[in-house]
Amino acid sequence: RTGEGPAAAAMAAAAAAAAATDAGGVGKSQHDNMLYFDSNATVAIAFDMTAHTITGGQPWGGVTASGAAMDVKAGRHGSAGPAAAFADDISLFSALATDKIFASMPKDLNFEVEGTLTVTFAGDAAPRVCDAVRIGQGHYLFTNNWWLGGPHVVGLNLGQSFRHVMCSGGNVEVHTTGKSDHFYVLPA
C-alpha cells in the first residue's frame, strides 16, 4: 500500500500524539489495559466486541485477546458515562469487581466494552459462550480494578458477598482473586 514506510510512520506517530493532546495541552495516553482470566486448567479466551463506551476525549484502540488475557487499548480517565452504560438494566447481583468490597455499582469507569466472551477450557469438547457480557475498568484505592456483568450474569452467594457469578445459562463461573487485574474462571 502507499503511504507506508519510515516517513509515513513518523507522520502517523506525530498525528496520533497530536490527537492524544486536548486543547489545554494535557496529554492523554492510550494504555494496554490487561485483564487476565486464571483457571485451574489451561484456558483461552476470545472477546467479540459489539459496543464500547469511553470517557470523552480519551483515546480508543480496541480490544484484543490472546491466550488467557484480554487487552483493552484505551485511555484511563474515569467518568459516569461508561459506568452508566455498564450498569444499564442490570443489578448489583449481576456484576462482579476484581478488587473491591462493594455495595453499589461503579460510579465512574474509564471505559466499558460489551460483547460475547468465549472461554475454552483444555479438554472441553466445545467453547463456552457468555453472551451480552460487559467488562469495564475503574479505579479502587490505588489500583485500576475491573468489573464484569451483564443481563445474563447471575450472582451466586456462597457466603462470600457475591464474589462469584455465573454467566450464560450456567456454563462459566467467574470468581474474584484478590488481584485487581485477574478473574478466576471455572467450567460450571
Side-chain angles (χ1 to χ4, degrees):
R1 284 184 270 175
T2 60
E4 293 183 0
M11 288 174 36
T21 302
D22 68 10
V26 178
K28 295 179 181 173
S29 301
Q30 179 172 294
H31 301 273
D32 287 305
N33 299 287
M34 301 299 297
L35 176 60
Y36 301 95
F37 292 85
D38 300 334
S39 185
N40 60 351
T42 302
V43 64
I45 62 124
F47 190 77
D48 182 19
M49 186 181 74
T50 57
H52 77 280
T53 307
I54 188 166
T55 298
Q58 290 295 306
W60 175 255
V63 179
T64 58
S66 178
M70 183 170 134
D71 182 5
V72 180
K73 296 177 184 302
R76 291 185 192 146
H77 183 76
S79 70
F86 177 85
D88 186 40
D89 291 331
I90 65 171
S91 75
L92 179 60
F93 304 110
S94 296
L96 183 67
T98 56
D99 191 18
K100 182 178 190 292
I101 298 170
F102 63 95
S104 64
M105 295 295 271
K107 303 276 187 263
D108 292 320
L109 290 176
N110 300 333
F111 52 80
E112 68 87 33
V113 295
E114 302 175 25
T116 301
L117 175 67
T118 303
V119 182
T120 304
F121 295 96
D124 265 3
R128 296 163 186 256
V129 177
C130 299
D131 293 316
V133 169
R134 298 175 191 161
I135 298 173
Q137 185 192 65
H139 189 79
Y140 181 67
L141 297 178
F142 305 106
T143 65
N144 289 311
N145 67 337
W146 290 84
W147 289 79
L148 183 143
H152 304 295
V153 174
V154 177
L156 301 172
N157 187 349
L158 301 177
Q160 301 171 351
S161 304
F162 292 98
R163 297 181 58 81
H164 166 190
V165 296
M166 191 173 294
C167 68
S168 293
N171 64 7
V172 177
E173 292 181 15
V174 183
H175 299 256
T176 60
T177 66
K179 296 179 183 176
S180 65
D181 57 353
H182 290 251
F183 282 117
Y184 192 84
V185 292
L186 292 169

